[in-house]
Amino acid sequence: NDSIRLIIDSYVESDTIFNHRFTNLRYLGQITSPDSLLKIITWNLVLRSGPSRYYCYFIRKPESGKEIRIYRLTATYREDPVMTDTIYTESDWYGALYYDLKPCITNNKRCWVLLGIDYGNSFISRKIIEVLSFTPGNSIVFGRKWFVSGDEIKFRDVFEYASNGMMSLRFKSDS
């Protein structure tokens, strides 16, 4: 894991970050948004003793010629479910492996809808629909009041199911 982090650290600093993909690192998630303004690299470290961990790099290309921003996040697997009634930040990120994203603009603010999976523990898995945005000061914000469930409006949608079960969650095709 330390070797992978060293490789990824030097990789995300390169000029070719949005054009290059690691093809020889199995189980390394790499997705780039269709607007080419955000790239996400994720992986997890499964440990036999102690809690397993998530690693995530958000690489954000600015819209107006400023330098690329890199956000390095880590989180430990949690038994507790991801909360749907709160905003998360870089410092309290719950941890997930993201496998798809779509950009969107609402109220003149750019954001991305993320699809992710969280392996909570050996008995449960969770699929997550998350909204990612950035503050004017370039801090990460996870969550936006968009998800309607009955009379409640949630910050994200979380689907929990047995770890030996399967659930498909993907964006509807545009075609």
Side-chain angles (χ1 to χ4, degrees), residues 75-95:
T76 303
Y77 281 27
R78 296 189 210 193
E79 295 278 331
D80 301 331
V82 177
M83 295 187 299
T84 60
D85 63 349
T86 191
I87 288 177
Y88 288 98
T89 64
E90 188 174 350
S91 63
D92 64 356
W93 177 61
Y94 49 82

PDB file of all heavy atoms in Angstrom, residues 75-95:
ATOM      1  N   ALA A  75     -10.051   6.894   4.993  1.00  0.00           N
ATOM      2  CA  ALA A  75     -11.094   6.599   5.978  1.00  0.00           C
ATOM      3  C   ALA A  75     -11.009   5.128   6.356  1.00  0.00           C
ATOM      4  O   ALA A  75     -10.583   4.293   5.559  1.00  0.00           O
ATOM      5  CB  ALA A  75     -12.477   6.927   5.424  1.00  0.00           C
ATOM      6  N   THR A  76     -11.431   4.833   7.545  1.00  0.00           N
ATOM      7  CA  THR A  76     -11.489   3.464   8.043  1.00  0.00           C
ATOM      8  C   THR A  76     -12.896   2.913   7.824  1.00  0.00           C
ATOM      9  O   THR A  76     -13.876   3.650   7.946  1.00  0.00           O
ATOM     10  CB  THR A  76     -11.165   3.455   9.554  1.00  0.00           C
ATOM     11  OG1 THR A  76      -9.880   4.060   9.728  1.00  0.00           O
ATOM     12  CG2 THR A  76     -11.150   2.057  10.112  1.00  0.00           C
ATOM     13  N   TYR A  77     -12.984   1.626   7.485  1.00  0.00           N
ATOM     14  CA  TYR A  77     -14.296   0.995   7.369  1.00  0.00           C
ATOM     15  C   TYR A  77     -15.086   1.262   8.642  1.00  0.00           C
ATOM     16  O   TYR A  77     -14.529   1.196   9.744  1.00  0.00           O
ATOM     17  CB  TYR A  77     -14.157  -0.523   7.218  1.00  0.00           C
ATOM     18  CG  TYR A  77     -13.782  -1.027   5.853  1.00  0.00           C
ATOM     19  CD1 TYR A  77     -13.062  -0.263   4.943  1.00  0.00           C
ATOM     20  CD2 TYR A  77     -14.147  -2.308   5.475  1.00  0.00           C
ATOM     21  CE1 TYR A  77     -12.716  -0.762   3.702  1.00  0.00           C
ATOM     22  CE2 TYR A  77     -13.803  -2.821   4.231  1.00  0.00           C
ATOM     23  CZ  TYR A  77     -13.078  -2.039   3.354  1.00  0.00           C
ATOM     24  OH  TYR A  77     -12.744  -2.539   2.129  1.00  0.00           O
ATOM     25  N   ARG A  78     -16.376   1.514   8.482  1.00  0.00           N
ATOM     26  CA  ARG A  78     -17.224   1.789   9.647  1.00  0.00           C
ATOM     27  C   ARG A  78     -18.397   0.824   9.701  1.00  0.00           C
ATOM     28  O   ARG A  78     -18.979   0.504   8.684  1.00  0.00           O
ATOM     29  CB  ARG A  78     -17.837   3.191   9.546  1.00  0.00           C
ATOM     30  CG  ARG A  78     -16.888   4.316   9.568  1.00  0.00           C
ATOM     31  CD  ARG A  78     -17.695   5.584   9.691  1.00  0.00           C
ATOM     32  NE  ARG A  78     -17.021   6.691   9.043  1.00  0.00           N
ATOM     33  CZ  ARG A  78     -17.362   7.941   9.204  1.00  0.00           C
ATOM     34  NH1 ARG A  78     -18.376   8.255   9.972  1.00  0.00           N
ATOM     35  NH2 ARG A  78     -16.720   8.896   8.592  1.00  0.00           N
ATOM     36  N   GLU A  79     -18.726   0.429  10.899  1.00  0.00           N
ATOM     37  CA  GLU A  79     -19.934  -0.374  11.113  1.00  0.00           C
ATOM     38  C   GLU A  79     -21.171   0.497  10.946  1.00  0.00           C
ATOM     39  O   GLU A  79     -22.180   0.062  10.419  1.00  0.00           O
ATOM     40  CB  GLU A  79     -19.928  -0.972  12.529  1.00  0.00           C
ATOM     41  CG  GLU A  79     -18.828  -1.968  12.783  1.00  0.00           C
ATOM     42  CD  GLU A  79     -19.156  -3.343  12.266  1.00  0.00           C
ATOM     43  OE1 GLU A  79     -20.345  -3.696  12.203  1.00  0.00           O
ATOM     44  OE2 GLU A  79     -18.212  -4.070  11.921  1.00  0.00           O
ATOM     45  N   ASP A  80     -21.080   1.740  11.431  1.00  0.00           N
ATOM     46  CA  ASP A  80     -22.232   2.647  11.379  1.00  0.00           C
ATOM     47  C   ASP A  80     -22.549   3.004   9.937  1.00  0.00           C
ATOM     48  O   ASP A  80     -21.644   3.243   9.130  1.00  0.00           O
ATOM     49  CB  ASP A  80     -21.932   3.938  12.140  1.00  0.00           C
ATOM     50  CG  ASP A  80     -21.597   3.686  13.598  1.00  0.00           C
ATOM     51  OD1 ASP A  80     -22.107   2.688  14.149  1.00  0.00           O
ATOM     52  OD2 ASP A  80     -20.822   4.476  14.168  1.00  0.00           O
ATOM     53  N   PRO A  81     -23.831   3.086   9.610  1.00  0.00           N
ATOM     54  CA  PRO A  81     -24.196   3.466   8.249  1.00  0.00           C
ATOM     55  C   PRO A  81     -23.827   4.920   7.957  1.00  0.00           C
ATOM     56  O   PRO A  81     -23.681   5.738   8.871  1.00  0.00           O
ATOM     57  CB  PRO A  81     -25.709   3.270   8.203  1.00  0.00           C
ATOM     58  CG  PRO A  81     -26.161   3.140   9.607  1.00  0.00           C
ATOM     59  CD  PRO A  81     -24.983   2.791  10.444  1.00  0.00           C
ATOM     60  N   VAL A  82     -23.648   5.210   6.678  1.00  0.00           N
ATOM     61  CA  VAL A  82     -23.394   6.576   6.240  1.00  0.00           C
ATOM     62  C   VAL A  82     -24.661   7.379   6.513  1.00  0.00           C
ATOM     63  O   VAL A  82     -25.764   6.955   6.159  1.00  0.00           O
ATOM     64  CB  VAL A  82     -23.053   6.604   4.736  1.00  0.00           C
ATOM     65  CG1 VAL A  82     -22.849   8.018   4.248  1.00  0.00           C
ATOM     66  CG2 VAL A  82     -21.828   5.740   4.466  1.00  0.00           C
ATOM     67  N   MET A  83     -24.522   8.524   7.158  1.00  0.00           N
ATOM     68  CA  MET A  83     -25.698   9.331   7.507  1.00  0.00           C
ATOM     69  C   MET A  83     -26.235  10.043   6.268  1.00  0.00           C
ATOM     70  O   MET A  83     -25.462  10.511   5.430  1.00  0.00           O
ATOM     71  CB  MET A  83     -25.346  10.333   8.598  1.00  0.00           C
ATOM     72  CG  MET A  83     -24.982   9.662   9.913  1.00  0.00           C
ATOM     73  SD  MET A  83     -24.762  10.810  11.305  1.00  0.00           S
ATOM     74  CE  MET A  83     -23.436  11.823  10.748  1.00  0.00           C
ATOM     75  N   THR A  84     -27.539  10.115   6.170  1.00  0.00           N
ATOM     76  CA  THR A  84     -28.182  10.770   5.022  1.00  0.00           C
ATOM     77  C   THR A  84     -28.668  12.167   5.358  1.00  0.00           C
ATOM     78  O   THR A  84     -29.168  12.864   4.488  1.00  0.00           O
ATOM     79  CB  THR A  84     -29.379   9.932   4.521  1.00  0.00           C
ATOM     80  OG1 THR A  84     -30.327   9.791   5.583  1.00  0.00           O
ATOM     81  CG2 THR A  84     -28.928   8.566   4.036  1.00  0.00           C
ATOM     82  N   ASP A  85     -28.503  12.582   6.619  1.00  0.00           N
ATOM     83  CA  ASP A  85     -29.036  13.875   7.057  1.00  0.00           C
ATOM     84  C   ASP A  85     -27.948  14.883   7.408  1.00  0.00           C
ATOM     85  O   ASP A  85     -28.172  15.812   8.165  1.00  0.00           O
ATOM     86  CB  ASP A  85     -29.966  13.681   8.250  1.00  0.00           C
ATOM     87  CG  ASP A  85     -29.252  13.108   9.465  1.00  0.00           C
ATOM     88  OD1 ASP A  85     -28.086  12.665   9.327  1.00  0.00           O
ATOM     89  OD2 ASP A  85     -29.842  13.112  10.550  1.00  0.00           O
ATOM     90  N   THR A  86     -26.757  14.700   6.857  1.00  0.00           N
ATOM     91  CA  THR A  86     -25.655  15.604   7.180  1.00  0.00           C
ATOM     92  C   THR A  86     -24.729  15.787   5.992  1.00  0.00           C
ATOM     93  O   THR A  86     -24.714  14.971   5.072  1.00  0.00           O
ATOM     94  CB  THR A  86     -24.856  15.065   8.393  1.00  0.00           C
ATOM     95  OG1 THR A  86     -23.961  16.059   8.836  1.00  0.00           O
ATOM     96  CG2 THR A  86     -24.087  13.817   8.035  1.00  0.00           C
ATOM     97  N   ILE A  87     -23.962  16.842   6.033  1.00  0.00           N
ATOM     98  CA  ILE A  87     -22.916  17.093   5.042  1.00  0.00           C
ATOM     99  C   ILE A  87     -21.611  16.558   5.616  1.00  0.00           C
ATOM    100  O   ILE A  87     -21.336  16.716   6.807  1.00  0.00           O
ATOM    101  CB  ILE A  87     -22.810  18.604   4.749  1.00  0.00           C
ATOM    102  CG1 ILE A  87     -24.014  19.051   3.928  1.00  0.00           C
ATOM    103  CG2 ILE A  87     -21.509  18.946   4.040  1.00  0.00           C
ATOM    104  CD1 ILE A  87     -24.054  20.537   3.638  1.00  0.00           C
ATOM    105  N   TYR A  88     -20.812  15.928   4.769  1.00  0.00           N
ATOM    106  CA  TYR A  88     -19.484  15.479   5.160  1.00  0.00           C
ATOM    107  C   TYR A  88     -18.450  16.383   4.495  1.00  0.00           C
ATOM    108  O   TYR A  88     -18.721  17.002   3.467  1.00  0.00           O
ATOM    109  CB  TYR A  88     -19.232  14.033   4.720  1.00  0.00           C
ATOM    110  CG  TYR A  88     -19.994  13.003   5.510  1.00  0.00           C
ATOM    111  CD1 TYR A  88     -21.194  12.472   5.037  1.00  0.00           C
ATOM    112  CD2 TYR A  88     -19.519  12.533   6.729  1.00  0.00           C
ATOM    113  CE1 TYR A  88     -21.895  11.510   5.746  1.00  0.00           C
ATOM    114  CE2 TYR A  88     -20.212  11.570   7.448  1.00  0.00           C
ATOM    115  CZ  TYR A  88     -21.393  11.063   6.944  1.00  0.00           C
ATOM    116  OH  TYR A  88     -22.078  10.116   7.654  1.00  0.00           O
ATOM    117  N   THR A  89     -17.267  16.431   5.099  1.00  0.00           N
ATOM    118  CA  THR A  89     -16.166  17.221   4.545  1.00  0.00           C
ATOM    119  C   THR A  89     -14.957  16.307   4.358  1.00  0.00           C
ATOM    120  O   THR A  89     -15.020  15.110   4.664  1.00  0.00           O
ATOM    121  CB  THR A  89     -15.796  18.377   5.489  1.00  0.00           C
ATOM    122  OG1 THR A  89     -15.314  17.826   6.722  1.00  0.00           O
ATOM    123  CG2 THR A  89     -16.980  19.297   5.739  1.00  0.00           C
ATOM    124  N   GLU A  90     -13.875  16.891   3.944  1.00  0.00           N
ATOM    125  CA  GLU A  90     -12.640  16.141   3.758  1.00  0.00           C
ATOM    126  C   GLU A  90     -12.182  15.499   5.068  1.00  0.00           C
ATOM    127  O   GLU A  90     -11.681  14.382   5.083  1.00  0.00           O
ATOM    128  CB  GLU A  90     -11.575  17.107   3.237  1.00  0.00           C
ATOM    129  CG  GLU A  90     -10.297  16.490   2.805  1.00  0.00           C
ATOM    130  CD  GLU A  90      -9.368  17.510   2.158  1.00  0.00           C
ATOM    131  OE1 GLU A  90      -9.786  18.645   1.870  1.00  0.00           O
ATOM    132  OE2 GLU A  90      -8.201  17.149   1.944  1.00  0.00           O
ATOM    133  N   SER A  91     -12.390  16.163   6.187  1.00  0.00           N
ATOM    134  CA  SER A  91     -11.900  15.669   7.479  1.00  0.00           C
ATOM    135  C   SER A  91     -12.754  14.556   8.084  1.00  0.00           C
ATOM    136  O   SER A  91     -12.261  13.783   8.892  1.00  0.00           O
ATOM    137  CB  SER A  91     -11.777  16.820   8.478  1.00  0.00           C
ATOM    138  OG  SER A  91     -13.045  17.384   8.729  1.00  0.00           O
ATOM    139  N   ASP A  92     -14.033  14.456   7.699  1.00  0.00           N
ATOM    140  CA  ASP A  92     -14.873  13.397   8.276  1.00  0.00           C
ATOM    141  C   ASP A  92     -15.498  12.495   7.206  1.00  0.00           C
ATOM    142  O   ASP A  92     -16.519  11.863   7.445  1.00  0.00           O
ATOM    143  CB  ASP A  92     -15.957  13.985   9.186  1.00  0.00           C
ATOM    144  CG  ASP A  92     -16.951  14.872   8.459  1.00  0.00           C
ATOM    145  OD1 ASP A  92     -16.782  15.118   7.250  1.00  0.00           O
ATOM    146  OD2 ASP A  92     -17.915  15.336   9.102  1.00  0.00           O
ATOM    147  N   TRP A  93     -14.867  12.425   6.057  1.00  0.00           N
ATOM    148  CA  TRP A  93     -15.333  11.589   4.951  1.00  0.00           C
ATOM    149  C   TRP A  93     -15.554  10.164   5.432  1.00  0.00           C
ATOM    150  O   TRP A  93     -14.726   9.599   6.155  1.00  0.00           O
ATOM    151  CB  TRP A  93     -14.296  11.639   3.831  1.00  0.00           C
ATOM    152  CG  TRP A  93     -14.563  10.788   2.646  1.00  0.00           C
ATOM    153  CD1 TRP A  93     -15.623  10.852   1.806  1.00  0.00           C
ATOM    154  CD2 TRP A  93     -13.721   9.751   2.138  1.00  0.00           C
ATOM    155  NE1 TRP A  93     -15.500   9.928   0.798  1.00  0.00           N
ATOM    156  CE2 TRP A  93     -14.334   9.234   0.986  1.00  0.00           C
ATOM    157  CE3 TRP A  93     -12.508   9.214   2.543  1.00  0.00           C
ATOM    158  CZ2 TRP A  93     -13.779   8.203   0.231  1.00  0.00           C
ATOM    159  CZ3 TRP A  93     -11.947   8.194   1.797  1.00  0.00           C
ATOM    160  CH2 TRP A  93     -12.579   7.699   0.657  1.00  0.00           C
ATOM    161  N   TYR A  94     -16.654   9.566   5.049  1.00  0.00           N
ATOM    162  CA  TYR A  94     -17.050   8.238   5.525  1.00  0.00           C
ATOM    163  C   TYR A  94     -16.298   7.103   4.842  1.00  0.00           C
ATOM    164  O   TYR A  94     -16.212   6.014   5.364  1.00  0.00           O
ATOM    165  CB  TYR A  94     -18.558   8.035   5.336  1.00  0.00           C
ATOM    166  CG  TYR A  94     -19.027   8.400   3.947  1.00  0.00           C
ATOM    167  CD1 TYR A  94     -18.905   7.526   2.883  1.00  0.00           C
ATOM    168  CD2 TYR A  94     -19.577   9.653   3.699  1.00  0.00           C
ATOM    169  CE1 TYR A  94     -19.306   7.869   1.612  1.00  0.00           C
ATOM    170  CE2 TYR A  94     -20.001  10.012   2.436  1.00  0.00           C
ATOM    171  CZ  TYR A  94     -19.859   9.112   1.391  1.00  0.00           C
ATOM    172  OH  TYR A  94     -20.259   9.469   0.134  1.00  0.00           O
ATOM    173  N   GLY A  95     -15.799   7.310   3.631  1.00  0.00           N
ATOM    174  CA  GLY A  95     -15.045   6.283   2.907  1.00  0.00           C
ATOM    175  C   GLY A  95     -15.919   5.489   1.961  1.00  0.00           C
ATOM    176  O   GLY A  95     -16.983   5.006   2.339  1.00  0.00           O
TER     177      GLY A  95
END
